[in-house]
Amino acid sequence: MIYMDCAATTPTDPLVLEEMLPYFSEKFGNASSATRLGSAGKQAIRTARERAAALIGALPEEIFFTSGGTESDNWALRLGVRAGKSGRHIIVSAVEHPAVLRTAEDLAREGYRLTVLPVDAEGTVLPETLRSAMCEDTVLVSVMTANNEVGTIEPIRELAQIAHEGGALFHTDAVQAFGQIPLIASELGADLLSASAHKIFGPKGTGLLYVKKGVRLDAFLTGGGQERGRRSGTENVPGIVGFGKACALAAQRMEEAIRVKRSLRELFWEHLLTENPHVLVSGSRENRLPGNVHICLPGIEGETLLILLDQKGICASSGSACSAGALEPSHVLTAMGRKAIEAKGSLRLTFSEHNTAEEVLEVCELIRVQTARLRELSLPYEEYCKHV
Ligand SMILES: *Cc1c(COP(=O)(O)O)cnc(C)c1O
Protein backbone atom coordinates (compact mmCIF):
# COMPACT_ATOMS: atom_id res chain seq x y z
CA MET A 1 0.00 0.00 0.00
CA ILE A 2 1.11 3.56 -0.72
CA TYR A 3 -0.25 5.90 1.95
CA MET A 4 -0.56 9.54 0.89
CA ASP A 5 -3.39 10.73 3.11
CA CYS A 6 -1.56 12.06 6.17
CA ALA A 7 -3.84 15.09 6.47
CA ALA A 8 -6.69 12.67 7.23
CA THR A 9 -4.77 10.65 9.76
CA THR A 10 -1.42 8.96 10.35
CA PRO A 11 -0.50 5.56 11.76
CA THR A 12 0.64 5.53 15.37
CA ASP A 13 4.44 5.51 15.38
CA PRO A 14 5.84 2.28 16.89
CA LEU A 15 7.83 4.33 19.44
CA VAL A 16 4.63 6.12 20.43
CA LEU A 17 2.76 2.85 20.84
CA GLU A 18 5.60 1.40 22.91
CA GLU A 19 5.36 4.26 25.40
CA MET A 20 1.59 3.97 25.60
CA LEU A 21 1.30 0.23 26.22
CA PRO A 22 2.22 0.05 29.93
CA TYR A 23 -0.53 2.59 30.70
CA PHE A 24 -3.12 0.10 29.44
CA SER A 25 -1.76 -2.72 31.61
CA GLU A 26 0.47 -2.57 34.66
CA LYS A 27 0.29 1.24 35.02
CA PHE A 28 -3.50 1.42 34.63
CA GLY A 29 -4.06 3.63 37.69
CA ASN A 30 -6.37 6.64 37.76
CA ALA A 31 -4.07 9.65 37.44
CA SER A 32 -6.26 11.58 39.86
CA SER A 33 -5.92 9.05 42.67
CA ALA A 34 -3.37 9.64 45.39
CA THR A 35 -2.06 6.06 45.25
CA ARG A 36 1.32 5.06 43.90
CA LEU A 37 -0.43 3.46 40.91
CA GLY A 38 -2.18 6.75 40.22
CA SER A 39 0.92 8.83 40.62
CA ALA A 40 2.70 6.95 37.79
CA GLY A 41 -0.05 8.18 35.47
CA LYS A 42 0.10 11.65 36.93
CA GLN A 43 3.85 11.84 36.36
CA ALA A 44 3.43 10.57 32.79
CA ILE A 45 0.86 13.27 32.06
CA ARG A 46 3.22 15.89 33.45
CA THR A 47 5.95 14.73 31.04
CA ALA A 48 3.52 14.73 28.13
CA ARG A 49 2.37 18.25 28.98
CA GLU A 50 5.97 19.45 29.05
CA ARG A 51 6.68 17.84 25.70
CA ALA A 52 3.59 19.31 24.06
CA ALA A 53 4.35 22.75 25.49
CA ALA A 54 7.98 22.58 24.34
CA LEU A 55 6.90 21.88 20.76
CA ILE A 56 5.21 25.30 20.55
CA GLY A 57 7.29 27.22 23.05
CA ALA A 58 4.42 27.37 25.54
CA LEU A 59 4.28 26.91 29.29
CA PRO A 60 3.09 23.49 30.50
CA GLU A 61 0.25 25.18 32.39
CA GLU A 62 -1.02 26.60 29.09
CA ILE A 63 -1.71 23.09 27.72
CA PHE A 64 -5.05 21.32 28.36
CA PHE A 65 -5.57 17.81 27.02
CA THR A 66 -8.85 17.01 25.26
CA SER A 67 -10.35 14.22 23.19
CA GLY A 68 -9.08 15.70 19.92
CA GLY A 69 -9.07 18.61 17.54
CA THR A 70 -12.85 18.68 17.29
CA GLU A 71 -13.34 19.04 21.04
CA SER A 72 -10.63 21.70 21.24
CA ASP A 73 -12.31 23.72 18.48
CA ASN A 74 -15.72 23.39 20.14
CA TRP A 75 -14.32 24.46 23.49
CA ALA A 76 -12.43 27.41 22.02
CA LEU A 77 -15.48 28.74 20.18
CA ARG A 78 -18.33 27.93 22.55
CA LEU A 79 -16.58 29.28 25.63
CA GLY A 80 -14.15 31.63 23.89
CA VAL A 81 -17.08 33.93 23.07
CA ARG A 82 -17.56 34.45 26.83
CA ALA A 83 -13.91 34.61 27.86
CA GLY A 84 -13.14 38.21 26.94
CA LYS A 85 -15.12 41.41 26.66
CA SER A 86 -18.86 41.19 26.20
CA GLY A 87 -20.30 41.32 22.71
CA ARG A 88 -22.28 39.28 20.21
CA HIS A 89 -20.17 39.22 17.05
CA ILE A 90 -17.84 36.42 15.93
CA ILE A 91 -15.66 36.02 12.84
CA VAL A 92 -14.40 32.81 11.22
CA SER A 93 -12.89 32.19 7.79
CA ALA A 94 -14.75 30.48 4.96
CA VAL A 95 -12.14 27.72 4.69
CA GLU A 96 -12.29 26.45 8.29
CA HIS A 97 -12.65 22.79 9.19
CA PRO A 98 -16.27 21.78 9.90
CA ALA A 99 -15.37 21.53 13.62
CA VAL A 100 -15.10 25.34 13.57
CA LEU A 101 -17.65 26.17 10.86
CA ARG A 102 -20.52 24.09 12.23
CA THR A 103 -19.79 25.31 15.76
CA ALA A 104 -19.81 28.93 14.62
CA GLU A 105 -23.14 28.31 12.88
CA ASP A 106 -24.50 26.86 16.13
CA LEU A 107 -23.45 30.03 17.93
CA ALA A 108 -25.20 32.04 15.22
CA ARG A 109 -28.40 30.10 15.92
CA GLU A 110 -27.98 31.00 19.58
CA GLY A 111 -27.96 34.69 18.71
CA TYR A 112 -24.37 35.60 17.86
CA ARG A 113 -23.79 37.56 14.67
CA LEU A 114 -21.45 35.55 12.46
CA THR A 115 -19.18 36.94 9.76
CA VAL A 116 -17.58 34.37 7.47
CA LEU A 117 -14.46 35.89 5.95
CA PRO A 118 -13.80 35.34 2.24
CA VAL A 119 -10.39 34.15 1.03
CA ASP A 120 -8.38 34.94 -2.09
CA ALA A 121 -7.81 32.49 -4.98
CA GLU A 122 -5.04 30.73 -3.04
CA GLY A 123 -7.17 30.29 0.07
CA THR A 124 -5.47 33.05 2.05
CA VAL A 125 -7.40 35.22 4.49
CA LEU A 126 -6.13 38.70 3.68
CA PRO A 127 -5.50 40.83 6.77
CA GLU A 128 -7.39 43.79 5.23
CA THR A 129 -10.47 41.58 4.99
CA LEU A 130 -10.38 40.90 8.71
CA ARG A 131 -9.68 44.54 9.49
CA SER A 132 -12.80 45.67 7.71
CA ALA A 133 -14.94 42.92 9.28
CA MET A 134 -14.03 43.85 12.87
CA CYS A 135 -16.83 45.53 14.83
CA GLU A 136 -17.16 47.24 18.17
CA ASP A 137 -18.64 44.06 19.67
CA THR A 138 -16.44 41.41 17.99
CA VAL A 139 -15.49 39.01 20.78
CA LEU A 140 -13.79 36.16 18.95
CA VAL A 141 -11.93 35.60 15.68
CA SER A 142 -11.02 32.08 14.52
CA VAL A 143 -8.76 31.42 11.54
CA MET A 144 -6.91 28.15 11.01
CA THR A 145 -3.11 28.07 10.91
CA ALA A 146 -2.97 25.88 7.79
CA ASN A 147 -5.77 24.53 5.65
CA ASN A 148 -6.45 20.80 5.71
CA GLU A 149 -7.52 20.59 2.07
CA VAL A 150 -5.22 22.84 0.07
CA GLY A 151 -2.42 23.31 2.61
CA THR A 152 -2.36 27.11 2.51
CA ILE A 153 -0.64 28.65 5.54
CA GLU A 154 -2.54 31.68 6.87
CA PRO A 155 -0.91 34.93 8.08
CA ILE A 156 -1.79 34.20 11.71
CA ARG A 157 0.49 36.79 13.32
CA GLU A 158 -1.07 39.68 11.43
CA LEU A 159 -4.59 38.34 11.88
CA ALA A 160 -4.15 37.85 15.63
CA GLN A 161 -2.80 41.37 15.93
CA ILE A 162 -5.81 42.84 14.13
CA ALA A 163 -8.19 40.86 16.35
CA HIS A 164 -6.40 42.11 19.45
CA GLU A 165 -6.42 45.74 18.28
CA GLY A 166 -10.21 45.39 18.16
CA GLY A 167 -10.28 43.86 21.64
CA ALA A 168 -11.27 40.36 20.46
CA LEU A 169 -9.76 37.01 21.41
CA PHE A 170 -8.04 35.04 18.65
CA HIS A 171 -8.32 31.27 18.17
CA THR A 172 -6.45 29.22 15.60
CA ASP A 173 -7.15 25.62 14.60
CA ALA A 174 -3.54 24.50 14.23
CA VAL A 175 -4.31 20.80 13.77
CA GLN A 176 -2.57 20.65 10.37
CA ALA A 177 0.39 22.81 11.33
CA PHE A 178 1.22 21.60 14.85
CA GLY A 179 4.31 19.41 14.74
CA GLN A 180 4.59 19.90 10.97
CA ILE A 181 6.02 23.39 10.70
CA PRO A 182 7.75 25.50 13.37
CA LEU A 183 5.14 27.23 15.55
CA ILE A 184 5.88 29.44 18.53
CA ALA A 185 2.69 30.24 20.38
CA SER A 186 3.88 33.57 21.74
CA GLU A 187 5.05 34.72 18.30
CA LEU A 188 1.80 33.65 16.65
CA GLY A 189 -0.09 35.68 19.20
CA ALA A 190 -3.07 33.34 19.43
CA ASP A 191 -5.00 33.22 22.71
CA LEU A 192 -6.32 29.75 21.95
CA LEU A 193 -4.82 27.05 19.71
CA SER A 194 -6.16 23.58 18.87
CA ALA A 195 -4.06 20.53 18.02
CA SER A 196 -4.64 16.80 17.59
CA ALA A 197 -2.41 13.76 18.15
CA HIS A 198 -3.47 11.52 15.28
CA LYS A 199 -2.26 13.91 12.59
CA ILE A 200 1.31 13.62 13.89
CA PHE A 201 1.74 9.85 14.37
CA GLY A 202 0.00 9.89 17.74
CA PRO A 203 -3.16 8.04 18.77
CA LYS A 204 -6.70 8.99 17.75
CA GLY A 205 -8.97 10.51 20.37
CA THR A 206 -6.41 12.81 21.98
CA GLY A 207 -5.87 16.50 21.40
CA LEU A 208 -5.05 19.68 23.22
CA LEU A 209 -6.12 23.24 23.60
CA TYR A 210 -3.43 25.81 24.30
CA VAL A 211 -4.90 28.56 26.45
CA LYS A 212 -2.59 31.55 26.76
CA LYS A 213 -1.75 32.44 30.32
CA GLY A 214 -4.17 35.05 31.61
CA VAL A 215 -7.05 34.07 29.30
CA ARG A 216 -9.96 33.07 31.52
CA LEU A 217 -11.61 30.33 29.52
CA ASP A 218 -14.32 28.46 31.41
CA ALA A 219 -14.57 24.67 31.45
CA PHE A 220 -16.33 22.97 28.55
CA LEU A 221 -16.76 19.66 30.39
CA THR A 222 -17.59 19.95 34.07
CA GLY A 223 -17.30 17.18 36.63
CA GLY A 224 -14.42 15.86 38.68
CA GLY A 225 -12.21 18.85 38.01
CA GLN A 226 -9.37 17.21 36.10
CA GLU A 227 -6.99 19.36 34.03
CA ARG A 228 -7.00 21.98 36.80
CA GLY A 229 -10.75 22.24 36.72
CA ARG A 230 -10.90 23.14 33.04
CA ARG A 231 -11.58 19.78 31.46
CA SER A 232 -13.23 17.16 33.61
CA GLY A 233 -13.20 13.45 32.92
CA THR A 234 -10.74 10.74 33.96
CA GLU A 235 -7.57 11.43 32.01
CA ASN A 236 -6.91 9.31 28.94
CA VAL A 237 -3.45 8.45 30.23
CA PRO A 238 -2.31 6.17 27.36
CA GLY A 239 -3.55 8.69 24.79
CA ILE A 240 -1.91 11.64 26.51
CA VAL A 241 1.36 9.70 26.92
CA GLY A 242 1.26 8.83 23.22
CA PHE A 243 0.54 12.43 22.26
CA GLY A 244 3.50 13.59 24.37
CA LYS A 245 5.81 11.11 22.68
CA ALA A 246 4.50 12.14 19.25
CA CYS A 247 5.30 15.78 20.14
CA ALA A 248 8.83 14.85 21.20
CA LEU A 249 9.39 12.91 17.98
CA ALA A 250 7.94 15.73 15.88
CA ALA A 251 10.34 18.21 17.47
CA GLN A 252 13.25 15.90 16.82
CA ARG A 253 12.31 15.04 13.24
CA MET A 254 10.69 18.24 11.98
CA GLU A 255 13.58 19.76 10.07
CA GLU A 256 14.40 16.58 8.17
CA ALA A 257 10.71 15.76 7.62
CA ILE A 258 10.12 19.18 6.07
CA ARG A 259 13.06 18.70 3.73
CA VAL A 260 11.89 15.26 2.58
CA LYS A 261 8.25 16.27 2.14
CA ARG A 262 9.17 19.41 0.19
CA SER A 263 11.32 17.45 -2.21
CA LEU A 264 8.56 14.87 -2.77
CA ARG A 265 6.12 17.67 -3.39
CA GLU A 266 8.38 19.32 -5.95
CA LEU A 267 8.96 16.01 -7.70
CA PHE A 268 5.22 15.50 -7.85
CA TRP A 269 4.52 18.92 -9.37
CA GLU A 270 7.30 18.48 -11.89
CA HIS A 271 5.87 15.22 -13.22
CA LEU A 272 2.19 15.82 -12.86
CA LEU A 273 2.17 19.24 -14.45
CA THR A 274 4.24 18.24 -17.46
CA GLU A 275 2.43 14.96 -18.07
CA ASN A 276 -1.21 16.08 -17.88
CA PRO A 277 -3.13 18.76 -19.74
CA HIS A 278 -5.38 21.06 -17.72
CA VAL A 279 -4.13 20.47 -14.21
CA LEU A 280 -4.87 23.24 -11.76
CA VAL A 281 -2.69 23.59 -8.68
CA SER A 282 -4.80 24.62 -5.69
CA GLY A 283 -3.43 27.09 -3.20
CA SER A 284 -0.04 28.68 -3.17
CA ARG A 285 2.92 26.82 -4.70
CA GLU A 286 5.22 28.16 -1.99
CA ASN A 287 3.27 29.21 1.07
CA ARG A 288 1.84 25.81 1.93
CA LEU A 289 2.34 22.83 4.18
CA PRO A 290 5.45 20.93 3.05
CA GLY A 291 3.62 17.62 2.57
CA ASN A 292 0.50 18.89 0.78
CA VAL A 293 -0.27 18.54 -2.92
CA HIS A 294 -3.73 19.52 -4.10
CA ILE A 295 -4.84 19.61 -7.70
CA CYS A 296 -8.02 19.92 -9.68
CA LEU A 297 -8.47 17.83 -12.81
CA PRO A 298 -11.46 19.36 -14.57
CA GLY A 299 -13.69 16.88 -16.36
CA ILE A 300 -13.33 13.96 -13.98
CA GLU A 301 -14.97 13.07 -10.68
CA GLY A 302 -12.34 13.15 -7.96
CA GLU A 303 -14.22 10.40 -6.13
CA THR A 304 -13.98 8.08 -9.14
CA LEU A 305 -10.26 8.66 -9.48
CA LEU A 306 -9.87 7.94 -5.76
CA ILE A 307 -11.61 4.59 -6.09
CA LEU A 308 -9.38 3.66 -9.03
CA LEU A 309 -6.28 4.64 -7.05
CA ASP A 310 -7.57 2.73 -4.03
CA GLN A 311 -7.91 -0.40 -6.16
CA LYS A 312 -4.21 -0.07 -6.97
CA GLY A 313 -3.34 0.23 -3.29
CA ILE A 314 -2.94 3.99 -3.19
CA CYS A 315 -4.56 5.91 -0.39
CA ALA A 316 -5.32 9.55 -1.23
CA SER A 317 -8.25 11.92 -0.73
CA SER A 318 -10.48 14.28 -2.61
CA GLY A 319 -9.67 16.81 0.10
CA SER A 320 -12.52 16.86 2.52
CA ALA A 321 -12.74 13.55 4.35
CA CYS A 322 -15.49 14.90 6.56
CA SER A 323 -17.96 15.34 3.74
CA ALA A 324 -16.83 12.22 1.89
CA GLY A 325 -19.71 10.53 0.17
CA ALA A 326 -21.31 13.87 -0.56
CA LEU A 327 -20.61 14.83 -4.15
CA GLU A 328 -20.95 18.51 -3.35
CA PRO A 329 -17.84 20.46 -4.34
CA SER A 330 -15.70 21.38 -1.33
CA HIS A 331 -16.53 24.59 0.55
CA VAL A 332 -12.82 25.45 0.53
CA LEU A 333 -12.47 25.27 -3.25
CA THR A 334 -15.75 27.10 -3.72
CA ALA A 335 -14.52 29.89 -1.42
CA MET A 336 -11.34 30.07 -3.52
CA GLY A 337 -13.46 30.71 -6.60
CA ARG A 338 -13.05 27.35 -8.31
CA LYS A 339 -15.77 26.48 -10.83
CA ALA A 340 -17.86 23.40 -9.98
CA ILE A 341 -16.34 21.37 -12.84
CA GLU A 342 -12.87 22.11 -11.48
CA ALA A 343 -13.71 21.55 -7.81
CA LYS A 344 -15.32 18.18 -8.54
CA GLY A 345 -12.08 16.89 -9.99
CA SER A 346 -10.09 17.52 -6.83
CA LEU A 347 -7.34 15.28 -5.55
CA ARG A 348 -5.29 15.72 -2.38
CA LEU A 349 -2.08 13.86 -1.65
CA THR A 350 -0.52 14.43 1.74
CA PHE A 351 2.90 12.95 2.27
CA SER A 352 4.93 12.06 5.30
CA GLU A 353 8.69 11.70 5.49
CA HIS A 354 8.15 7.94 5.13
CA ASN A 355 7.05 8.25 1.49
CA THR A 356 9.61 7.82 -1.27
CA ALA A 357 10.39 9.28 -4.69
CA GLU A 358 9.57 5.89 -6.28
CA GLU A 359 6.10 6.03 -4.74
CA VAL A 360 5.56 9.56 -6.04
CA LEU A 361 6.54 8.52 -9.57
CA GLU A 362 4.29 5.46 -9.45
CA VAL A 363 1.33 7.55 -8.29
CA CYS A 364 1.98 10.22 -10.95
CA GLU A 365 1.93 7.57 -13.65
CA LEU A 366 -1.32 6.10 -12.38
CA ILE A 367 -2.94 9.50 -12.22
CA ARG A 368 -1.84 10.20 -15.79
CA VAL A 369 -3.27 6.94 -17.14
CA GLN A 370 -6.52 7.03 -15.18
CA THR A 371 -7.18 10.70 -15.82
CA ALA A 372 -6.75 10.26 -19.56
CA ARG A 373 -9.10 7.28 -19.45
CA LEU A 374 -11.79 9.05 -17.43
CA ARG A 375 -11.57 12.15 -19.58
CA GLU A 376 -12.02 10.20 -22.79
CA LEU A 377 -15.58 9.47 -21.74
CA SER A 378 -16.26 12.87 -20.25
CA LEU A 379 -18.61 15.23 -22.08
CA PRO A 380 -18.03 17.98 -19.50
CA TYR A 381 -14.30 17.75 -20.28
CA GLU A 382 -14.90 18.22 -24.01
CA GLU A 383 -17.01 21.23 -23.18
CA TYR A 384 -14.37 22.56 -20.75
CA CYS A 385 -11.60 22.31 -23.36
CA LYS A 386 -13.60 24.46 -25.76
CA HIS A 387 -13.70 27.27 -23.22
CA VAL A 388 -10.13 27.39 -21.90
C1 LIG B 1 -8.41 16.60 11.60
C2 LIG B 1 -8.76 18.01 11.83
C3 LIG B 1 -9.61 18.40 12.89
C4 LIG B 1 -10.28 17.39 13.78
O1 LIG B 1 -9.39 16.78 14.68
P1 LIG B 1 -9.83 15.39 15.38
O2 LIG B 1 -8.75 15.12 16.36
O3 LIG B 1 -9.90 14.38 14.28
O4 LIG B 1 -11.15 15.64 16.03
C5 LIG B 1 -9.85 19.73 13.09
N1 LIG B 1 -9.29 20.66 12.29
C6 LIG B 1 -8.47 20.34 11.27
C7 LIG B 1 -7.87 21.43 10.45
C8 LIG B 1 -8.18 19.02 11.01
O5 LIG B 1 -7.39 18.71 9.98
Side-chain angles (χ1 to χ4, degrees):
M1 184 186 71
I2 298 180
Y3 189 75
M4 293 186 173
D5 200 11
C6 291
T9 193
T10 55
T12 304
D13 189 286
L15 295 174
V16 168
L17 182 62
E18 190 185 301
E19 277 210 20
M20 292 172 69
L21 285 175
Y23 295 92
F24 286 107
S25 48
E26 70 265 29
K27 297 182 182 174
F28 68 90
N30 186 321
S32 298
S33 110
T35 61
R36 267 185 296 163
L37 199 56
S39 78
K42 195 174 199 153
Q43 178 53 44
I45 291 175
R46 187 175 307 141
T47 304
R49 202 183 307 282
E50 284 164 7
R51 287 169 155 178
L55 185 57
I56 54 168
L59 301 167
E61 61 263 36
E62 292 175 317
I63 304 294
F64 296 88
F65 290 113
T66 66
S67 69
T70 301
E71 183 189 322
S72 299
D73 286 343
N74 269 265
W75 185 11
L77 266 74
R78 290 181 193 276
L79 288 138
V81 295
R82 296 201 249 129
K85 71 172 185 191
S86 59
R88 302 295 282 173
H89 180 228
I90 54 177
I91 302 177
V92 304
S93 90
V95 296
E96 295 302 307
H97 188 275
V100 167
L101 274 180
R102 297 289 92 78
T103 306
E105 288 162 9
D106 248 14
L107 287 166
R109 275 187 290 274
E110 287 167 19
Y112 284 90
R113 247 175 344 105
L114 170 63
T115 299
V116 178
L117 291 180
V119 293
D120 73 3
E122 295 189 341
T124 306
V125 177
L126 301 176
E128 308 88 84
T129 323
L130 174 58
R131 203 184 296 280
S132 55
M134 291 293 298
C135 297
E136 192 94 328
D137 70 335
T138 308
V139 289
L140 184 72
V141 177
S142 180
V143 178
M144 68 205 317
T145 313
N147 184 265
N148 50 302
E149 293 187 32
V150 298
T152 301
I153 298 172
E154 301 293 349
I156 296 303
R157 278 171 79 153
E158 284 125 288
L159 297 171
Q161 199 178 340
I162 293 166
H164 289 154
E165 281 163 14
L169 289 176
F170 187 84
H171 166 250
T172 188
D173 174 341
V175 172
Q176 291 290 335
F178 182 87
Q180 312 264 5
I181 55 172
L183 289 184
I184 304 292
S186 57
E187 285 177 13
L188 279 181
D191 301 291
L192 305 166
L193 176 151
S194 308
S196 175
H198 75 99
K199 307 282 172 86
I200 60 162
F201 302 102
K204 291 166 184 62
T206 307
L208 65 78
L209 185 67
Y210 156 89
V211 182
K212 189 176 165 184
K213 199 174 170 184
V215 173
R216 299 219 309 267
L217 187 74
D218 283 341
F220 183 37
L221 295 184
T222 48
Q226 288 87 348
E227 293 292 283
R228 288 148 293 146
R230 303 254 209 148
R231 201 280 185 182
S232 287
T234 300
E235 297 89 341
N236 171 8
V237 181
I240 291 170
V241 166
F243 193 10
K245 182 64 177 177
C247 290
L249 291 175
Q252 204 180 308
R253 296 173 175 172
M254 190 184 295
E255 204 178 325
E256 175 64 6
I258 289 175
R259 197 189 58 75
V260 171
K261 289 187 281 189
R262 274 212 184 113
S263 76
L264 294 174
R265 187 181 80 193
E266 294 312 310
L267 183 69
F268 189 91
W269 291 141
E270 196 183 301
H271 279 265
L272 202 86
L273 298 178
T274 50
E275 288 165 3
N276 296 276
H278 301 134
V279 186
L280 305 168
V281 172
S282 315
S284 157
R285 278 287 287 270
E286 299 304 322
N287 193 26
R288 70 189 303 138
L289 290 171
N292 174 292
V293 163
H294 189 291
I295 52 172
C296 289
L297 296 155
I300 68 163
E301 293 280 356
E303 301 293 330
T304 311
L305 180 59
L306 273 188
I307 293 165
L308 293 171
L309 291 176
D310 191 38
Q311 284 167 356
K312 305 278 183 189
I314 294 157
C315 216
S317 166
S318 62
S320 44
C322 303
S323 43
L327 286 175
E328 286 295 298
S330 121
H331 70 284
V332 173
L333 296 174
T334 306
M336 289 162 62
R338 283 273 193 254
K339 299 191 192 86
I341 184 174
E342 297 165 344
K344 283 189 176 196
S346 72
L347 179 70
R348 179 188 73 185
L349 299 164
T350 41
F351 310 126
S352 78
E353 64 271 33
H354 306 306
N355 290 116
T356 63
E358 290 71 39
E359 289 178 338
V360 166
L361 295 179
E362 189 180 330
V363 171
C364 278
E365 178 56 16
L366 263 167
I367 293 173
R368 187 185 67 77
V369 172
Q370 299 298 353
T371 301
R373 220 185 91 197
L374 291 171
R375 277 176 168 173
E376 239 170 68
L377 312 165
S378 164
L379 287 177
Y381 183 60
E382 259 180 53
E383 206 45 39
Y384 183 82
C385 291
K386 283 187 208 151
H387 297 288
V388 288

